Amino acid sequence: MMESKKQIYNLIPKKYYPRTELVKAGTSIVEINKVLENSGIKYPFIAKPDIGLRGSAVKKIETPDDLKQYTERANFDFIVQDLIPYENEIGVFYVRYPHEKVGRITGIVAKEFLIITGNGVATIEELIKENPRYELQLKVLKQEYGSKLREVLPEGEKINLVPYGNHARGAKFIDVSHWLTPKLTDTFNEMCVQIPGFYFGRLDIMYGSFEDLEKGINFSVVELNGAASEPTHIYDPKHNLLFAWKELARHITYMFEISVANYQNGFPYLEHKAGMKEYRLHQKQNQKIINFQ
């Protein structure tokens, strides 16, 4: 709870993630433009809450007017970040015990985005309604796209309606744990051992081709999630509830054992009082983001 994305990015070697800057709540447009200019971040770019909630309030900022609207509505700290140029996204769960030099990948999930293809007749909204999963996002899509949804999409033209691999934003999760190879493990281990104190969590990655990803090139970390991570390959529709329970139990066991090892190495457990304080702050933060939508 209350994990700052910017603080986590600061732990990762810069070559592995896009240029990222923190904008404090209440910062003026003039100051934000200075941040963009000094960092080299250009339109279009991504804006998202520094302390997030399942992909809520993540927006692609296309124009200065988009930025102005986002800033006026965001009463929370947020991040501005280069748009990652790769089309494919996966989530890779990584586990390493503190005494180990080499970790392991315990699950891989691929993300299928909300992409529609025009037929030259149907409007964008009609195309959305053809897919029950897409239609569940229609309310949010209407807020984001407005009258554009009434436009007819030319035949063969594709639109990625939600370019974020988030389950709550309509992405379909597919278990591709069978993609695991020794080369892929080596690539992720080389990166993860450079992140101080990181032993358990999921890295969301965008990449060009799987072959390049294995080699450790042409990929970028979207986010790194720690103890609150889920092994999201459990959400593949082919899996049943029993499979999900088993995977959750397996990963909670990893987390428990790593926590004990860290405690034995001098890192104290979180006290109940401190945890409850974080929980209350977390609830307030969530409400801010919900109100943004």
Side-chain angles (χ1 to χ4, degrees):
M1 295 178 288
M2 299 303 293
E3 293 179 329
S4 163
K5 295 183 192 298
K6 186 62 170 68
Q7 288 181 15
I8 293 173
Y9 284 124
N10 289 345
L11 298 174
I12 306 170
K14 288 187 176 181
K15 65 179 181 179
Y16 291 119
Y17 66 93
R19 283 177 294 192
T20 301
E21 296 292 337
L22 178 66
V23 176
K24 290 287 189 178
T27 302
S28 70
I29 283 290
V30 173
E31 289 300 315
I32 296 173
N33 284 329
K34 288 181 182 177
V35 169
L36 295 174
E37 184 178 347
N38 292 337
S39 66
I41 296 174
K42 301 184 184 303
Y43 293 93
F45 59 86
I46 294 294
K48 57 186 176 183
D50 183 44
I51 299 172
L53 175 66
R54 296 187 298 276
S56 296
V58 177
K59 302 290 183 184
K60 184 178 179 182
I61 306 297
E62 303 267 10
T63 65
D65 189 54
D66 289 344
L67 178 60
K68 183 174 182 293
Q69 290 182 32
Y70 191 95
T71 304
E72 288 173 349
R73 295 173 60 198
N75 61 341
F76 46 78
D77 297 351
F78 64 92
I79 280 170
V80 290
Q81 186 176 71
D82 266 338
L83 199 64
I84 297 172
Y86 309 117
E87 292 185 356
N88 304 304
E89 183 173 342
I90 57 172
V92 176
F93 213 105
Y94 177 86
V95 172
R96 179 168 63 91
Y97 288 89
H99 66 277
E100 295 178 325
K101 293 183 178 179
V102 179
R104 61 195 63 77
I105 292 172
T106 60
I108 308 173
V109 63
K111 317 288 183 70
E112 183 180 297
F113 298 108
L114 270 71
I115 298 175
I116 57 172
T117 304
N119 57 16
V121 178
T123 64
I124 294 175
E125 182 172 345
E126 288 168 343
L127 292 170
I128 291 169
K129 289 180 177 179
E130 289 179 2
N131 186 311
R133 179 165 59 90
Y134 292 15
E135 190 172 11
L136 290 172
Q137 300 295 320
L138 189 55
K139 182 179 178 180
V140 174
L141 292 172
K142 283 181 176 179
Q143 292 175 349
E144 187 160 344
Y145 288 96
S147 61
K148 184 176 175 63
L149 295 187
R150 295 194 290 272
E151 296 177 8
V152 173
L153 196 61
E155 186 170 0
E157 184 174 324
K158 295 180 183 291
I159 292 181
N160 186 348
L161 295 164
V162 184
Y164 328 114
N166 188 281
H167 199 247
R169 297 290 299 273
K172 182 180 179 180
F173 285 8
I174 303 167
D175 186 353
V176 293
S177 298
H178 58 278
W179 288 4
L180 178 60
T181 65
K183 287 173 65 178
L184 189 68
T185 298
D186 290 344
T187 288
F188 276 84
N189 196 68
E190 180 183 349
M191 174 173 56
C192 292
V193 295
Q194 298 179 62
I195 303 172
F198 177 57
Y199 300 109
F200 173 96
R202 191 189 70 250
L203 298 107
D204 294 326
I205 303 287
M206 297 197 76
Y207 64 99
S209 71
F210 186 76
E211 291 73 22
D212 281 353
L213 181 60
E214 279 189 310
K215 295 174 186 175
I217 60 174
N218 298 328
F219 78 92
S220 182
V221 174
V222 180
E223 285 186 4
L224 184 157
N225 303 278
S229 303
E230 291 178 302
T232 47
H233 58 279
I234 66 175
Y235 292 118
D236 188 319
K238 73 182 179 185
H239 292 316
N240 59 31
L241 187 59
L242 183 59
F243 174 88
W245 283 343
K246 287 180 177 178
E247 285 296 274
L248 288 170
R250 179 165 73 103
H251 285 80
I252 289 169
T253 300
Y254 288 138
M255 182 166 56
F256 166 75
E257 292 172 348
I258 290 168
S259 296
V260 171
N262 279 331
Y263 179 76
Q264 292 170 345
N265 289 335
F267 295 93
Y269 296 127
L270 181 69
E271 293 182 356
H272 180 265
K273 183 178 180 180
M276 291 306 298
K277 181 180 179 181
E278 283 195 7
Y279 175 74
R280 287 189 289 270
L281 290 171
H282 179 73
Q283 293 295 91
K284 289 181 180 179
Q285 175 69 11
N286 286 355
Q287 194 58 52
K288 288 181 182 180
I289 296 173
I290 290 169
N291 291 339
F292 178 94
Q293 297 299 100

